[in-house]
Amino acid sequence: MLPGLDGLEVCRRIQRDRPVPVLMLTARDSETDLVVGLAVGADDYLAKPFSARELTARVHALLRRVERAPERVAGTGPTEVRLGDIELDLDGRRVHRGGEEVHLTPTEFDLLAYLAGNPGRVFSRQRLLGDVWGYRDGCGARTVDSHVRALRRKLGPDVVRTVHGIGYGAGPT
């Protein structure tokens, strides 16, 4: 609802040039709007009305994720992770499936890297919100579901498996 371009197109253009964290602040509050916003590249989505405290908490969480990304890369762990025919280049933050590069948002990449780096484990939405998003209050469980849907749409339905009543894990290898 911006003049000239809508927020979705602005997000697409930002993500096209280089992947940067995006938090959408919007009056659109339907689940469909949230899913579309995350699908075009937003890392988080906050609908009006919201409190200044919630906005501040989400910005801090987003910044923590960005700051932690180099720490993970600089660690002594692997620089590449495989999940079936999916290859994650942790240094370059790139994903390939079947030899083709697949564009992921920074948060989609972090979620996939977290799940793929913990094969055989299943994580609750709350655990993923804390470990991947940096949220400690448990808000935003639908955000996890939306990012999982985006990963499945981009990489295939088998990339993330659902364990009903428990959470998500990396798909079969």
Side-chain angles (χ1 to χ4, degrees):
M1 296 188 294
L2 297 169
L5 293 175
D6 69 356
L8 299 174
E9 184 58 28
V10 170
C11 187
R12 277 188 203 97
R13 289 184 184 190
I14 290 171
Q15 292 293 340
R16 181 184 60 214
D17 295 333
R18 65 182 185 144
V20 297
V22 173
L23 169 61
M24 284 194 161
L25 305 177
T26 180
R28 296 177 175 254
D29 63 352
S30 75
E31 181 180 14
T32 301
D33 291 323
L34 179 144
V35 170
V36 170
L38 295 173
V40 299
D43 294 287
D44 201 355
Y45 190 98
L46 188 56
K48 296 176 187 175
F50 52 83
S51 71
R53 286 179 46 179
E54 181 178 7
L55 174 61
T56 302
R58 287 179 183 264
V59 168
H60 283 286
L62 193 60
L63 292 174
R64 276 194 309 271
R65 272 200 316 279
V66 170
E67 290 167 358
R68 279 197 317 249
E71 292 171 9
R72 278 182 263 167
V73 171
T76 59
T79 60
E80 186 176 289
V81 175
R82 292 186 67 86
L83 181 63
D85 67 342
I86 299 171
E87 300 172 15
L88 285 84
D89 172 4
L90 300 178
D91 288 336
R93 296 184 61 82
R94 297 188 185 281
V95 175
H96 291 83
R97 179 156 206 176
E100 296 289 322
E101 186 169 358
V102 179
H103 173 76
L104 298 181
T105 67
T107 304
E108 290 166 354
F109 182 89
D110 290 344
L111 177 59
L112 182 61
Y114 185 83
L115 293 174
N118 291 284
R121 296 195 54 199
V122 176
F123 299 96
S124 70
R125 287 174 182 85
Q126 270 55 41
R127 174 79 184 266
L128 292 170
L129 284 168
D131 291 354
V132 178
W133 276 261
Y135 296 166
R136 298 295 172 216
D137 60 5
C139 70
R142 285 175 41 194
T143 298
V144 176
D145 298 340
S146 297
H147 280 82
V148 166
R149 274 193 298 276
L151 286 173
R152 288 175 173 157
R153 182 178 49 79
K154 292 178 179 183
L155 295 168
D158 60 332
V159 69
V160 178
R161 74 185 157 93
T162 301
V163 178
H164 292 287
I166 299 176
Y168 296 109
T173 55

